[in-house]
Amino acid sequence: MRRGRSKNPIAIVIVFVLISCFLVLILSVLRLPDASSGNNSNTSIKLDQISKFAGNNVMIGKFGEMMIEMLPQDLSFTIFIPSENAFEHDLKLNVNDSLVGEKANDTYAILTRVLSFTVVPWKIVSKSVRYGEEIVCDSLSGFKLYVSKDADEMLVVNSVRSKRVDLRKGEMVIHVMDSVIMEAEFEQSVRPDDDEDQD
């Protein structure tokens, strides 16, 4: 009986620790959707501030804002987000046309896929990348990103140059890119066919 009594406090502590860890895990998982949808008024103010800070010709734009809203603000991410012009030039997405009717679902699917190529699950600030060196990391989809810095102190990711660096939203670091970062297979699926160009 003495042995049983001496093990009880240890067993109670172990059970208490396990239950506490399990509760913390459940609460953090349940909290993620709230963080991504967030309070609409607060989110829009912050997104407006980011858009204004990005400058007149380097706007994040509606598609960029939609991508940012897909991620929880309270987790550390780096997102290499295409500029407003890059969405239109590279993906032929136009706010007035691409978010209307049946096209809205296709646009959302494209943005989700682009997000998987352009998000890294930790912070990469421009100061952490040394000129002449390259950081290799995996995006959320497993797509390899090669991050370097050019002579103008701008980041270059897979040959795509940044327009603005180190914007912040919550725990996220946002770099506005000059073009859309995507894998070759996806790029071919969203680009117009060569036949259309020849007609």
Side-chain angles (χ1 to χ4, degrees):
M1 293 201 118
R2 287 183 182 173
R3 289 183 181 174
R5 288 182 183 167
S6 65
K7 290 185 179 178
N8 279 341
I10 295 172
I12 289 172
V13 170
I14 291 173
V15 169
F16 178 74
V17 169
L18 289 174
I19 290 173
S20 298
C21 291
F22 186 68
L23 286 174
V24 168
L25 181 65
I26 288 175
L27 289 175
S28 64
V29 169
L30 290 175
R31 193 170 161 211
L32 287 179
D34 293 334
S36 63
S37 61
N39 181 338
N40 290 336
S41 60
N42 290 340
T43 302
S44 63
I45 289 169
K46 291 179 182 178
L47 291 173
D48 288 344
Q49 290 171 346
I50 288 174
S51 295
K52 289 175 186 172
F53 182 61
N56 294 334
N57 58 354
V58 191
M59 295 289 289
I60 289 176
K62 179 65 177 171
F63 299 122
E65 291 176 2
M66 289 172 66
M67 288 175 65
I68 291 169
E69 289 175 358
M70 292 178 195
L71 295 171
Q73 296 177 44
D74 60 345
L75 296 178
S76 294
F77 287 109
T78 299
I79 179 170
F80 300 100
I81 198 159
S83 67
E84 188 174 23
N85 291 337
F87 279 113
E88 190 167 342
H89 180 265
D90 295 348
L91 299 175
K92 306 301 184 230
L93 294 179
N94 182 312
V95 175
N96 297 330
D97 184 45
S98 301
L99 295 175
V100 179
E102 293 179 11
K103 289 184 178 181
N105 288 335
D106 293 338
T107 300
Y108 189 82
I110 290 170
L111 294 179
T112 303
R113 191 71 175 130
V114 170
L115 187 72
S116 73
F117 298 133
T118 58
V119 173
V120 177
W122 65 82
K123 291 181 184 177
I124 301 174
V125 293
S126 61
K127 290 180 183 178
S128 66
V129 181
R130 295 181 183 172
Y131 178 71
E133 294 183 8
E134 186 175 73
I135 296 174
V136 181
C137 49
D138 290 329
S139 68
L140 292 180
S141 67
F143 182 60
K144 290 276 186 215
L145 298 178
Y146 302 91
V147 184
S148 60
K149 187 184 282 186
D150 66 13
D152 295 330
E153 298 289 311
M154 300 306 278
L155 295 179
V156 178
V157 182
N158 295 18
S159 302
V160 177
R161 189 174 188 273
S162 62
K163 298 289 244 173
R164 294 293 298 221
V165 295
D166 301 333
L167 302 176
R168 302 285 181 138
K169 181 173 191 286
E171 292 295 313
M172 282 186 279
V173 177
I174 302 164
H175 305 293
V176 182
M177 307 304 289
D178 193 30
S179 189
V180 180
I181 300 168
M182 52 188 156
E183 66 180 10
E185 183 179 334
F186 179 74
E187 183 176 359
Q188 287 182 350
S189 71
V190 295
R191 298 244 186 219
D193 294 334
D194 292 336
D195 297 338
E196 292 179 9
D197 295 338
Q198 293 173 354
D199 289 344

